[in-house]
Amino acid sequence: MGQLTLYLLWSCLATAPSASPVTHSKAGIFHGRYLPGFDQDVYLGIKYAPKPVRFSSAILTKNAPETNFNVTQYGVDCMGYGSDENILVAGGWTELGEDCLHLNIVKPRTDLSGLPVLLWIYGGGWQQGATSDPRYNMSYIVRQSAAINKPVIGVSVNYRMAAFGFLNSIQVATNGTQNIGLLDQRLALQWVNKHISSFGGNPSKVTIWGESAGAYSVGDHINAYGGNNDGLFRAAIMESGGAVGAPLNGTDWYQRMYDNLTASVGCADAEETLECLRSVPYETIAPYGYQGLEWFHTLDGRFIREWGQTSLTTGAFAKMPIILGTNTDEGFGVDGVNTDTDAIKQLMYSKRWNLNEMEARRLLELYPNNPALGEPYGWGNRTWPQYGLQYKRFCSIATDLAMFAPRRLLAEEMSKYEPVYSYRWDAPKFNNTPTTIGINHFSEIPFVFGNTEQQITPLGNGTENLGLSTLVMRMWVSFAYDLDPNGHGVSGIASWPQYRQNSSNFVFRTDESYIEVDDDRAEGVAYINSLVR
């Protein structure tokens, strides 16, 4: 076989539909993977930052235009636990977990350039999560974008979590390294801004998208630096979270957690406790660094300069079109609330609320102990005394504090400047059973990712579930594509109005979705939104 024949054969194989994709950029030469079942090119585990110094801000990966990178597998999860086959260390913790700042790119195989970008930030209480989680597989939603001729590029990012991303104390504040998990996300956005055009994306058409702690992160990026987003994104989607809600506790709150961590790993008596924590082997510190769902974002005077309510009511946020919403029964209550005294104690001293006694008592007045009015909603007078005699009452208060009231405040304030599309999710996450109460937190995730194959939160193959999943995925990509969720191409669906037109929500249901006026619990929500938390 002659050289010309070999060359022609190689050329045909290299350009065949099944050929592995290669992208040349200033960041390097990336060798990805082709997914024939989706007709997509994927680039997995792209490092946007080298391994950072523990409890320090990361730096952007240096350009390496001539360096080849194999990006066909997900990178290491930031949890750094040895159960993953890539980091198997006898089932224990591995320091590879600190070298986890990767992002993934999923794109339809198309010759088009300038595609909008839909960038996912996972939730998990800033405590857990990973882009490799099959529940967050972006291939399904990217496939829907191609199906309605509005192709988008999907991007998902890893970031440091728990103590490794959100440590705070007097020592940390002095060092200026609070909120480094959020700064990791910001660095990933900067990488996308610099390099996504090489993959066919448009850096001026990025929509950031998250759920729960991911949605709070999106809200933080909207409020960050007084509302200066440096052109890193033009729109946002926030599911069950936003720019207000999770406590922005100061160093006093976190000092106890910091002191417990130093004591647990033998650094309490060190002259420089932060430096001591940096020198402790990862497998020693990791089990303590991931304990408890208490690692929240914090006021740092730089990235997060002020309370979320202050940012919103003074206009100190980045103005842009947004989609945001909550699930009917988010379920952010506390078990064991039996009396008014129990409720007041939780509202005053819980890590989530931190209200004073006057505020707590006023909330009890606004949310009477009437089971018919409580959450989960729509269950009448049914109660669950095993969870507390005031379970439904406290769930209503807690959910409105954490989710529902902040969602309304953001919709009201943002809609003064830009289009806002607000929703309420009213479909169970899968095959509701007597042990699953209401439409709770995370219920929408199987639908918006549409993964019918994975088993953790299965969507199933029922016609109604699949139909709703198709609708919400197409709404999300339509919004990312042209900033309007109504270009989804599904017939028989009510038009989703902008919030400023009539203060309404689009209600997602498996039987028939509809539009409702956004006036539930108006007095209680208004009072919550008058508080600075």
Side-chain angles (χ1 to χ4, degrees):
M1 187 179 291
Q3 285 186 332
L4 178 59
T5 304
L6 284 171
Y7 173 77
L8 291 174
L9 177 60
W10 177 87
S11 298
C12 289
L13 290 173
T15 57
S18 60
S20 297
V22 179
T23 291
H24 294 256
S25 74
K26 291 181 180 179
I29 303 169
F30 296 99
H31 299 259
R33 196 164 111 212
Y34 175 64
L35 302 181
F38 293 93
D39 195 27
Q40 292 170 357
D41 293 333
V42 297
Y43 302 84
L44 307 175
I46 297 175
K47 294 183 69 170
Y48 65 84
K51 180 180 177 179
V53 174
R54 187 184 298 164
F55 305 132
S56 297
S57 298
I59 59 173
L60 202 64
T61 296
K62 293 181 179 179
N63 288 347
E66 305 302 323
T67 304
N68 288 274
F69 297 96
N70 179 348
V71 287
T72 57
Q73 302 292 331
Y74 285 107
V76 175
D77 296 346
C78 286
M79 285 288 287
Y81 192 68
S83 60
D84 186 278
E85 63 179 4
N86 296 321
I87 55 172
L88 186 60
V89 184
W93 299 92
T94 167
E95 64 181 5
L96 290 175
E98 295 192 273
D99 191 15
C100 63
L101 300 186
H102 306 86
L103 58 81
N104 312 296
I105 297 173
V106 180
K107 58 171 293 187
R109 179 155 280 198
T110 174
D111 293 329
L112 297 175
S113 60
L115 298 182
V117 177
L118 183 57
L119 186 146
W120 168 251
I121 301 172
Y122 54 77
W126 291 300
Q127 171 80 13
Q128 57 187 340
T131 60
S132 62
D133 188 325
R135 293 174 293 184
Y136 305 142
N137 185 336
M138 296 196 74
S139 282
Y140 297 87
I141 192 169
V142 170
R143 179 166 63 185
Q144 289 296 331
S145 75
I148 60 173
N149 200 30
K150 294 185 177 183
V152 303
I153 290 178
V155 176
S156 56
V157 302
N158 271 3
Y159 60 94
R160 285 172 289 175
M161 298 167 292
F164 298 96
F166 296 92
L167 191 71
N168 194 13
S169 67
I170 294 173
Q171 296 85 343
V172 175
T174 301
N175 198 52
T177 53
Q178 302 123 304
N179 292 320
I180 56 177
L182 293 171
L183 295 178
D184 289 346
Q185 299 168 11
R186 198 74 165 192
L187 208 62
L189 287 170
Q190 292 170 9
W191 191 98
V192 168
N193 185 265
K194 289 177 179 291
H195 302 298
I196 200 64
S197 59
S198 298
F199 296 85
N202 188 332
S204 67
K205 293 184 178 181
V206 175
T207 297
I208 57 174
W209 166 37
E211 184 266 348
S212 192
Y216 287 125
S217 297
V218 169
D220 286 334
H221 289 293
I222 289 174
N223 287 344
Y225 303 115
N228 178 14
N229 75 339
D230 291 322
L232 296 176
F233 51 97
R234 69 164 182 170
I237 300 174
M238 289 169 277
E239 301 173 20
S240 300
V244 185
L248 282 166
N249 297 307
T251 54
D252 290 347
W253 174 262
Y254 287 103
Q255 192 67 49
R256 173 183 55 83
M257 296 159 62
Y258 179 89
D259 293 342
N260 286 342
L261 182 62
T262 58
S264 298
V265 298
C267 288
D269 296 328
E271 184 175 348
E272 296 288 343
T273 54
L274 186 58
E275 287 304 312
C276 180
L277 289 175
R278 287 176 173 145
S279 66
V280 172
Y282 181 76
E283 62 269 19
T284 300
I285 193 174
Y288 303 101
Y290 286 102
Q291 280 186 351
L293 287 169
E294 295 184 332
W295 305 101
F296 294 150
H297 57 181
T298 184
L299 286 167
D300 59 21
R302 295 176 301 279
F303 185 82
I304 302 178
R305 297 178 177 178
E306 57 195 358
W307 302 98
Q309 288 95 329
T310 303
S311 295
L312 291 178
T313 55
T314 61
F317 58 88
K319 283 76 174 178
M320 64 189 61
I322 60 171
I323 287 176
L324 80 166
T326 56
N327 301 341
T328 299
D329 310 300
E330 290 284 358
F332 274 78
V334 177
D335 292 351
V337 174
N338 294 301
T339 65
D340 286 12
T341 300
D342 291 341
I344 291 170
K345 181 179 179 180
Q346 287 290 342
L347 291 169
M348 291 180 63
Y349 301 113
S350 165
K351 63 189 178 186
R352 292 187 182 276
W353 320 126
N354 303 331
L355 303 179
N356 63 41
E357 184 174 355
M358 181 192 71
E359 294 166 342
R361 291 189 180 281
R362 178 57 179 152
L363 280 177
L364 294 189
E365 294 174 359
L366 294 170
Y367 291 80
N369 188 26
N370 180 349
L373 301 177
E375 180 191 319
Y377 301 107
W379 292 70
N381 285 315
R382 180 178 174 182
T383 60
W384 289 267
Q386 66 270 33
Y387 301 131
L389 298 179
Q390 295 196 14
Y391 170 75
K392 293 184 73 175
R393 178 196 205 181
F394 198 83
C395 277
S396 293
I397 296 173
T399 290
D400 283 0
L401 279 167
M403 297 282 179
F404 196 82
R407 190 274 311 155
R408 183 174 291 168
L409 178 64
L410 181 54
E412 291 170 345
E413 295 300 326
M414 184 72 85
S415 63
K416 296 175 182 178
Y417 306 91
E418 293 283 352
V420 170
Y421 298 92
S422 181
Y423 74 84
R424 177 170 64 86
W425 188 267
D426 199 42
K429 58 186 173 188
F430 59 92
N431 298 330
N432 219 4
T433 67
T435 58
T436 302
I437 303 171
I439 312 300
N440 44 44
H441 195 57
F442 209 77
S443 291
E444 84 288 359
I445 287 295
F447 294 86
V448 297
F449 282 93
N451 186 345
T452 58
E453 300 172 16
Q454 63 91 25
Q455 300 298 315
I456 302 175
T457 50
L459 180 62
N461 57 7
T463 301
E464 290 185 337
N465 276 10
L466 292 178
L468 181 58
S469 177
T470 297
L471 173 64
V472 67
M473 284 192 288
R474 291 186 175 188
M475 282 181 159
W476 271 209
V477 297
S478 176
F479 179 76
Y481 193 85
D482 54 26
L483 304 180
D484 186 343
N486 290 297
H488 49 74
V490 180
S491 61
I493 302 299
S495 178
W496 190 347
Q498 293 183 23
Y499 194 85
R500 66 171 168 242
Q501 295 171 351
N502 57 1
S503 300
S504 61
N505 300 316
F506 188 95
V507 181
F508 287 98
R509 289 181 59 90
T510 52
D511 49 6
E512 183 178 2
S513 299
Y514 60 92
I515 308 300
E516 69 176 8
V517 177
D518 182 26
D519 60 359
D520 285 344
R521 304 179 298 285
E523 190 176 5
V525 167
Y527 179 71
I528 289 171
N529 284 338
S530 72
L531 306 175
V532 176
R533 291 173 289 115

